[in-house]
Amino acid sequence: RSPAAPQRLHMQISRLAQRRVARPAARAYSSAVAAVQPPTHVATMPNQMRVATESTGGDTATLGVWIDTGSRYESDATNGVAHFLEHMSFKGTAKRNTRQLEMEVENMGGHLNAYTSREQTVYYAKVLKQDVPRAVELLSDILLNSTFSPAAVENERQVILREMEEVESQIEEVVFDRLHEVAYVGTPLARTILGPTENINSITADDISRYVKTHYTAPRMVLAAAGAVEHDQVLDLASEYFGGVPTVAPAGHDYENHASLFCGADVRDFKEDMPAANFALAFEGLKWTDPDVFTLMLCQSLLGTYDKKSSNMQYATAPMVLALDKYKVAEQVQPFCTCYNDTGLFGVYVTANLDSYDDYSTLFQILQDEMLALTQGVSDEDLARGKAQLKYNLLQQMDGTSPTAEEIGRQLLTFGRRMNLAETLARVDDITAADVKRVADKVCWDQEVSFAAIGSNLKYIGDINSLRRGTYWNRV
């Protein structure tokens, strides 16, 4: 390591020595903000499908079905079928063809969409208040009555192959897919959402139908609604249109839910024609239900976000951002904290022009030293700043009917309940400097790392053993 390392460690110790008393007004503000949140009503239908609503008023509403299934529940042979199904759901049902479906949504002035992730599949609609009943019926039709005609499957196959080409051009998406491949080698989370090309070319209508019968069962589905909705009305509509969803899959439609195990590994795609190196460095993070998950999110906020092109960097207070702005060895640095049902990823995504080994050494010393600095604790001033940033980000995620419905659906699938805003902000307020030190130590100190990179001059970046050595300091 360069001689700058002891100096930065000394700076971190100095920050700890300059502790300030956190402002007591922060908790009062959090309580005031949380007090305006309307209650979330949750009901479970006889078939065990849950219905959750949050009436926030206004003239529009977002309704959607959140399903506890995604690419991690596929097999290697069927990887990509969940995403394929998402496409097929808009290609016609037993009572509506594609054009009728599109015209009906357009005539309502609404918005209908869907997405697939590694652990969840979501179909949602944003409509005017008076169209809530039509939206629920429409969602049930595309989820339960899609036809999956062989001709439509063949047409959509080409659409998905073109989509794969577009995704390959989105470097950040590719890096994170590669990161999952090396972080969870041979386990479900290593699979991509779109699946490999050979699977897309071979998936049939029967594969899609079997996936629906296996995974689209009532206990794994949540109908969430927010905005101009009334709980009793939505519950009645859910009973009418989703009451027939089976509680269990038919015989012979079993699936295996293997754990995803983190391992330290790396992958590098050397592309000297690219203008920069793009990479992600990650530790194993925490699962959604871990008691320390909000503390790890706070660690992400404490690291801060860096953008070389922004003139605001010189006014930043996060130590990592200040160091990056001083040495100018990166274009962008974005910390991330990704959670899953049984594991997670915590680290940084970086875009950098590495022109020499010194650039690599300086950059990685800043990144890894500042992550490890959290294991030594934080000042009260930094703690208050990080909490304010985290609460702002959490509140942003609930700004509007669609983000609110998203939060309700996701939380019921991951936590098994709706965590209201008051509890969320209280959990953030209750985090202490000792908590940050303990959680950072558990996640980062002397732990395995995974690394994925694409771009130019990757030859300057040390091997996996070098990156692993950056996860601890020699303590005196």
Side-chain angles (χ1 to χ4, degrees):
R1 294 194 178 280
S2 73
Q7 180 181 3
R8 275 201 289 277
L9 177 58
H10 174 72
M11 289 171 62
Q12 176 65 19
I13 294 173
S14 298
R15 288 197 296 270
L16 296 178
Q18 298 172 354
R19 293 188 179 277
R20 301 181 183 179
V21 177
R23 290 166 289 184
R27 177 177 288 276
Y29 172 75
S30 298
S31 300
V33 171
V36 303
Q37 184 187 26
T40 304
H41 299 283
V42 182
T44 302
M45 300 198 304
N47 64 356
Q48 297 182 32
M49 181 175 176
R50 287 163 290 178
V51 179
T53 64
E54 193 170 297
S55 181
T56 57
D59 298 314
T60 62
T62 298
L63 307 96
V65 179
W66 275 254
I67 309 170
D68 184 27
T69 187
S71 60
R72 76 169 295 168
Y73 297 100
E74 301 165 342
S75 65
D76 290 340
T78 62
N79 183 204
V81 68
H83 177 257
F84 208 125
L85 168 60
E86 172 204 319
H87 278 249
M88 291 302 303
S89 295
F90 298 102
K91 300 308 172 185
T93 70
K95 60 186 293 187
R96 296 176 173 94
N97 60 34
T98 304
R99 179 165 178 77
Q100 288 172 328
L101 184 62
E102 293 173 349
M103 289 298 296
E104 187 167 348
V105 175
E106 185 175 338
N107 290 338
M108 282 194 293
H111 174 74
L112 180 66
N113 211 337
Y115 67 85
T116 305
S117 69
R118 283 179 165 81
E119 291 189 330
Q120 295 177 9
T121 302
V122 180
Y123 300 82
Y124 67 96
K126 184 161 186 175
V127 297
L128 295 173
K129 180 179 180 178
Q130 63 267 23
D131 292 321
V132 166
R134 294 175 65 188
V136 176
E137 187 275 330
L138 187 63
L139 287 169
S140 72
D141 194 32
I142 64 175
L143 262 72
L144 307 178
N145 303 313
S146 290
T147 53
F148 311 132
S149 70
V153 169
E154 290 304 318
N155 289 336
E156 207 59 28
R157 195 188 311 279
Q158 302 307 314
V159 173
I160 295 174
L161 290 172
R162 289 194 295 272
E163 182 181 343
M164 292 180 72
E165 294 177 358
E166 294 175 6
V167 170
E168 285 295 321
S169 66
Q170 299 171 19
I171 301 303
E172 185 173 347
E173 292 286 335
V174 177
V175 169
F176 274 101
D177 276 346
R178 301 281 176 83
L179 179 66
H180 281 78
E181 289 174 5
V182 295
Y184 301 108
V185 176
T187 63
L189 286 176
R191 302 187 189 108
T192 63
I193 295 169
L194 270 65
T197 302
E198 54 269 26
N199 283 13
I200 302 305
N201 282 322
S202 63
I203 287 173
T204 66
D206 287 342
D207 293 327
I208 298 171
S209 296
R210 182 177 181 83
Y211 184 86
V212 172
K213 292 177 182 178
T214 302
H215 297 284
Y216 281 31
T217 54
R220 299 175 67 183
M221 300 171 72
V222 173
L223 175 62
V229 295
E230 296 179 3
H231 180 73
D232 290 341
Q233 180 195 33
V234 176
L235 181 58
D236 289 341
L237 291 166
S239 299
E240 179 179 356
Y241 295 112
F242 289 95
V245 177
T247 303
V248 296
H253 288 70
D254 301 325
Y255 70 95
E256 295 181 343
N257 183 15
H258 296 293
S260 285
L261 305 176
F262 183 90
C263 66
D266 69 332
V267 61
R268 302 163 195 234
D269 190 353
F270 295 81
K271 292 183 179 292
E272 297 305 323
D273 58 336
M274 292 182 64
N278 306 270
F279 59 85
L281 176 69
F283 296 94
E284 180 175 21
L286 302 175
K287 62 182 180 180
W288 278 114
T289 55
D290 193 292
D292 292 320
V293 69
F294 284 103
T295 305
L296 191 59
M297 292 179 185
L298 178 58
C299 289
Q300 175 190 354
S301 296
L302 287 167
L303 289 174
T305 300
Y306 174 75
D307 186 345
K308 186 177 180 180
K309 295 179 180 179
S310 173
S311 59
N312 295 329
M313 294 299 99
Q314 59 183 316
Y315 306 113
T317 55
M320 184 182 76
V321 176
L322 289 173
L324 290 168
D325 188 58
K326 177 180 179 181
Y327 292 97
K328 310 291 186 184
V329 286
E331 299 301 310
Q332 291 182 314
V333 176
Q334 174 64 60
F336 59 86
C337 179
T338 303
C339 299
Y340 294 108
N341 290 337
D342 56 354
T343 183
L345 293 171
F346 175 76
V348 288
Y349 175 80
V350 181
T351 299
N353 293 311
L354 302 176
D355 295 325
S356 67
Y357 176 81
D358 287 342
D359 287 347
Y360 147 73
S361 180
T362 301
L363 174 59
F364 275 75
Q365 188 167 333
I366 292 171
L367 299 176
Q368 294 189 287
D369 279 2
E370 291 302 338
M371 283 193 279
L372 290 187
L374 297 175
T375 70
Q376 308 303 302
V378 293
S379 69
D380 286 348
E381 183 180 12
D382 283 345
L383 186 65
R385 170 186 59 79
K387 286 183 178 182
Q389 182 63 54
L390 176 57
K391 287 188 281 189
Y392 173 77
N393 292 337
L394 291 171
L395 289 168
Q396 265 196 324
Q397 294 173 14
M398 305 177 196
D399 187 14
T401 60
S402 296
T404 299
E406 166 75 29
E407 279 289 291
I408 295 171
R410 179 185 60 77
Q411 288 185 352
L412 283 173
L413 291 182
T414 55
F415 298 130
R417 65 185 181 90
R418 168 69 158 140
M419 185 182 297
N420 62 36
L421 190 56
E423 180 183 352
T424 300
L425 297 182
R427 286 194 175 200
V428 175
D429 284 329
D430 288 342
I431 298 172
T432 66
D435 292 328
V436 172
K437 180 178 179 180
R438 174 180 54 81
V439 173
D441 191 82
K442 176 173 69 173
V443 172
C444 301
W445 185 267
D446 199 12
Q447 298 297 316
E448 299 296 334
V449 294
S450 287
F451 179 76
I454 300 174
S456 57
N457 288 331
L458 301 183
K459 61 187 178 184
Y460 295 123
I461 300 177
D463 64 13
I464 189 66
N465 294 314
S466 173
L467 300 179
R468 179 64 174 82
R469 287 193 295 271
T471 66
Y472 59 87
W473 294 326
N474 292 323
R475 291 171 169 169
V476 179

